[in-house]
């Protein structure tokens, strides 16, 4: 028996559609397939729970590529892995961090990506904070004392409560005091680092050279129990990121002379240089197969968690759209591609390489729909500076149920996005590529590049809505009578440099989804 909620959604969408446009059977079938036979939960489980994080150059990234190809082929869709380059191969093992003095407790922490491990053993050492020195000469005199120690290199936050918590519960005076103290604390820490004579990156290298046992960081996201987890800068010693709460405890102990000791076991393997890929799926066009509609989402993630909203949700949305279209629209007018790009997180590398390797596809692109920034329903679409975008987007969106489009704000012709995610690789060569921006769901503070970006953060009703939206847009773009216009706004010139100026990209809080 089908869930009642899905039946209600199907009948609601279908009824609204029938009234709006006299019922297009393909669109009706898209809605029915998306609501009555959704594969989203299964895809999310297999990708996120079973395969897990997809850091470029790791075995899990390769496993994800192979899984995607096998999944597409199981649906009768042609798919392939295309190599776009090579990368540093690395494999994460376990990380275990314990404080063993002045008391015993296991701490919440993990190695940063590409960190060296502890060579199959546990390392025990005292914990010290970067000292507040008068100048670089004084710091050089102190530096030998870092030998054999774990060195705390991040600011100690004065509060671990999100701003929303303070704004809801604090008195006006208490909130103002906290904000003043927090600003002063951050400035004092920046000055402390500056007086060492190093920047934050070169400082870690200096500590490593001085014989430190490891580097301890804490990159708080601004939400309860959540840390940003990026890449390590060290070459021989481990870099461990600790949760704000545990980091603050060690910091206070070290600053107050308690002399805490920790024991770290960290495992990782260097795998040499490895090939890296994009996964491309294809439903061949029946009338003009050399014209293309592309479904775009980056496949890689940071590996602090499983990359659910960055960008597992974009990935499973595009896979679900391809599955639906193969089922209800198997002979499209134009060729439909799904591009699952590698190494977006390191600079849009996979999509940039695809554009360079396939100029014929980019040159004959009808439209590209990119989805990246989180689990929320699509709420914003820009024309990316294509001056005639409104003409065809108006037709395409008119075919989508009002229950979906009523949430969407449009900006046509809009302004070219200077970067951020993979559609920009195509816009840069004049191809009509569009970012479908999502409602935030506190993306920036709780899931974007954090150790909490996991399956349970997905809002499947919103993802299902996006699958319906993108499937209908893809169908409409494929059936469009004419090729879309490539006429673009002329970028303004920066009078100081003579170079094209960058269009500002507005990012409203709770509607933008964050940066990539």
């Amino acid at each position: 028996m089908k869930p009642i909620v899905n039946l209600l959604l199907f009948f609601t969408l279908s009824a609204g559609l029938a009234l709006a446009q006299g019922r297009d059977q393909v669109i009706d079938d898209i809605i029915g397939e998306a609501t009555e036979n959704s594969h989203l939960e299964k895809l999310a489980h297999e990708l996120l729970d079973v395969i897990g994080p997809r850091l470029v150059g790791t075995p899990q990234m390769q496993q994800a590529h192979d899984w995607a190809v096998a999944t597409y082929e199981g649906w009768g869709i042609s798919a392939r892995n295309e190599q776009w380059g090579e990368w540093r191969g690395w494999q994460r093992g376990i990380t275990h961090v314990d404080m063993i003095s002045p008391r015993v407790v296991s701490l919440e922490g993990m190695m940063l990506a590409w960190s060296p491990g502890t060579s199959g053993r546990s390392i025990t050492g005292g914990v010290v904070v970067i000292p507040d020195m008068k100048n670089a000469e004084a710091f050089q005199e102190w530096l030998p004392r870092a030998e054999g120690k774990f060195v705390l290199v991040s600011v100690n936050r004065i509060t671990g409560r999100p701003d929303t918590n303070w704004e809801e519960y604090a008195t006006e005076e208490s909130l103002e005091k906290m904000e003043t103290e927090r600003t002063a604390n951050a400035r004092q820490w920046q000055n402390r680092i500056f007086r060492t004579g190093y920047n934050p990156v070169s400082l870690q290298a200096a500590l490593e050279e001085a014989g430190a046992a490891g580097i301890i960081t804490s990159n708080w996201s601004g939400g309860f129990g959540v840390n940003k987890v990026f890449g390590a800068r060290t070459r021989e010693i481990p870099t461990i990121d600790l949760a704000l709460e545990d980091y603050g405890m060690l910091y206070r102990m070290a600053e107050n002379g308690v002399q805490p000791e920790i024991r770290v076991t960290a495992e990782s393997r260097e795998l040499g240089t490895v090939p890296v890929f994009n996964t491309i799926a294809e439903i061949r066009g029946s009338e003009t197969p050399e014209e293309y509609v592309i479904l775009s989402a980056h496949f890689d993630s940071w590996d602090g968690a499983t990359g659910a909203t960055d960008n597992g949700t974009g990935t499973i949305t595009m896979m679900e759209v391809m599955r639906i279209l193969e089922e209800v629209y198997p002979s499209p007018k134009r060729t439909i591609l799904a591009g699952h790009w590698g190494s977006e997180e390191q600079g849009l590398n996979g999509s940039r390489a695809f554009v360079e390797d396939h100029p014929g596809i980019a040159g004959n692109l009808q439209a590209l729909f990119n989805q990246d920034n989180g689990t929320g329903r699509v709420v914003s679409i820009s024309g990316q500076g294509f001056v005639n975008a409104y003409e065809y987007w108006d037709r395409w969106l008119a075919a989508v149920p009002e229950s979906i489009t009523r949430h969407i704000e449009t900006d046509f012709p809009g302004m070219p996005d200077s970067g951020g995610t993979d559609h920009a690789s195509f816009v840069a060569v004049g191809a009509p590529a569009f970012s479908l921006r999502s409602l935030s769901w506190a993306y920036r503070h709780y899931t974007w590049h954090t150790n909490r970006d996991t399956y349970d953060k997905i809002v499947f009703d919103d993802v299902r809505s996006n699958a319906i939206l993108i499937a209908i847009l893809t169908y409409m773009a494929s059936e469009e009578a004419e090729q879309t216009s490539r006429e673009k706004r002329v970028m303004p010139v920066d009078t100081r440099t003579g170079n094209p100026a960058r269009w500002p990209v507005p990012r409203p809080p709770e509607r933008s989804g964050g940066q990539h």
Side-chain angles (χ1 to χ4, degrees):
M1 183 173 66
K2 302 295 184 183
I4 293 175
V5 66
N6 282 351
L7 286 170
L8 291 174
L9 177 62
F10 171 64
F11 288 130
T12 300
L13 291 172
S14 297
L17 189 62
L19 291 173
Q21 60 179 69
R23 205 173 193 101
D24 183 306
Q25 188 61 51
V26 172
I27 294 176
D28 193 42
D29 290 345
I30 286 172
I31 296 169
E33 183 67 21
T35 54
E36 291 300 294
N37 190 33
S38 174
H39 284 39
L40 289 171
E41 286 86 351
K42 179 175 185 291
L43 292 170
H45 166 65
E46 291 176 353
L47 178 63
L48 305 174
D49 292 338
V50 179
I51 296 173
R54 300 166 304 285
L55 182 70
V56 62
T58 62
Q60 286 169 298
M61 184 74 228
Q62 185 59 55
Q63 185 183 355
H65 284 301
D66 295 340
W67 165 82
V69 169
T71 301
Y72 275 122
E73 289 179 345
W75 296 333
I77 298 173
S78 173
R80 61 191 182 274
N81 290 328
E82 289 189 358
Q83 184 176 347
W84 60 262
E86 295 179 330
W87 205 262
R88 173 185 173 184
W90 182 82
Q91 186 173 18
R92 175 183 293 282
I94 65 168
T95 304
H96 200 86
V97 186
D98 303 295
M99 185 174 72
I100 58 174
S101 178
R103 57 188 176 87
V104 176
V105 61
S106 292
L107 308 181
E108 183 183 357
M110 66 186 302
M111 284 186 301
L112 294 184
W114 299 302
S115 171
T118 57
S119 302
R121 57 194 176 93
S122 297
I123 298 176
T124 299
V127 177
V128 296
V129 178
I130 295 295
D132 193 4
M133 295 298 195
K134 291 182 179 180
N135 51 43
E137 290 76 15
F139 180 74
Q140 287 298 319
E141 292 179 9
W142 175 88
L143 199 52
R145 300 183 192 178
E147 184 176 2
K149 301 293 197 301
F150 289 93
V151 185
L152 306 179
V153 300
S154 296
V155 65
N156 180 38
R157 309 278 181 171
I158 67 169
T159 179
R161 290 185 178 275
D163 282 357
T164 52
N165 212 231
W166 280 91
E167 290 161 2
E168 182 175 0
Y169 296 113
T171 65
E172 184 176 341
E173 294 80 9
S174 180
L175 175 59
E176 182 178 355
K177 178 184 176 185
M178 183 279 293
E179 291 175 337
T180 300
E181 291 178 350
R182 182 170 61 185
T183 300
N185 183 54
R187 185 180 300 113
Q188 289 165 6
W189 183 257
Q190 289 172 353
N191 290 336
R192 182 183 293 204
I193 299 299
F194 176 78
R195 285 193 294 271
T196 68
Y198 296 97
N199 62 41
V201 174
S202 61
L203 175 61
Q204 293 188 32
L207 292 167
E208 184 172 28
E209 187 175 347
I215 303 296
I216 307 295
T217 68
S218 183
N219 298 300
W220 187 46
S221 72
F224 274 126
V226 189
N227 270 31
K228 301 287 187 185
V229 185
F230 296 104
R233 303 289 186 175
T234 49
R235 295 179 179 273
E236 302 293 337
I237 62 174
T239 300
I240 306 296
D241 190 85
L242 285 184
L244 173 146
E245 295 82 359
D246 289 337
Y247 184 90
M249 177 183 66
L250 292 179
Y251 189 103
R252 290 186 295 274
M253 287 181 176
E255 284 282 85
N256 287 284
V258 175
Q259 299 181 343
E261 279 192 310
I262 63 173
R263 181 171 58 214
V264 173
T265 303
E267 297 178 359
S268 66
R269 290 178 58 206
E270 291 288 340
L271 303 177
T273 301
V274 299
V276 285
F277 301 89
N278 296 317
T279 295
I280 309 299
E282 178 176 338
I283 303 175
R284 190 70 174 166
S286 59
E287 295 183 30
T288 53
E290 302 307 318
E291 297 176 10
Y292 299 88
V293 180
I294 298 181
L295 308 177
S296 169
H298 75 85
F299 207 13
D300 63 310
S301 72
W302 280 107
D303 75 333
T306 59
T309 68
D310 186 21
N311 184 31
T313 45
T315 295
I316 64 172
T317 296
M318 299 313 176
M319 293 184 74
E320 174 77 341
V321 170
M322 289 292 280
R323 184 194 68 80
I324 291 168
L325 293 176
E326 172 65 18
E327 186 71 26
V328 307
Y329 182 56
S331 298
K333 178 178 179 181
R334 295 175 170 89
T335 295
I336 301 170
L337 300 179
H340 301 287
W341 317 118
S343 192
E344 184 267 358
E345 299 291 3
Q346 288 71 45
L348 318 186
N349 293 320
S351 58
R352 289 180 192 272
F354 182 87
V355 170
E356 182 177 345
D357 293 343
H358 298 281
I361 293 177
N364 286 291
L365 184 64
Q366 178 75 346
L368 176 144
F369 306 115
N370 188 78
Q371 222 274 311
D372 182 358
N373 56 315
T375 188
R377 60 190 177 273
V378 172
V379 293
S380 176
I381 300 171
S382 165
Q384 295 297 318
F386 292 96
V387 297
N388 299 312
Y390 179 80
E391 294 181 9
Y392 47 89
W393 268 99
D394 186 44
R395 289 190 292 274
W396 300 349
L397 286 172
V400 179
E402 190 272 339
S403 58
I404 293 175
T405 58
R406 63 188 171 92
H407 300 294
I408 300 174
E409 296 179 359
T410 59
D411 180 16
F412 296 117
M415 297 179 180
D417 193 333
S418 59
T421 189
D422 290 294
H423 71 286
S425 298
F426 293 82
V427 173
V429 297
F434 307 95
S435 178
L436 309 180
R437 295 185 179 275
S438 295
L439 189 68
S440 168
W441 284 93
Y443 174 77
R444 181 178 294 275
H445 293 308
Y446 281 97
T447 60
W448 172 55
H449 295 178
T450 75
N451 62 341
R452 295 293 191 270
D453 192 10
T454 47
Y455 178 104
D456 51 285
K457 309 307 187 300
I458 299 176
V459 181
F460 281 102
D461 284 344
D462 279 9
V463 179
R464 235 180 303 279
S465 172
N466 292 345
I468 293 170
L469 168 68
I470 296 168
I472 294 173
L473 292 176
T474 302
Y475 165 61
M476 295 298 292
S478 174
E479 289 293 311
E480 182 77 21
E482 305 292 335
Q483 277 195 285
T484 52
S485 168
R486 292 181 169 236
E487 183 180 352
K488 292 178 66 176
R489 278 182 166 181
V490 177
M491 294 286 283
V493 173
D494 187 327
T495 56
R496 297 170 298 173
T497 65
N499 296 322
R502 292 165 64 94
W503 289 104
V505 182
R507 296 183 182 277
E510 296 299 293
R511 293 183 73 85
S512 66
Q515 300 172 342
H516 288 268

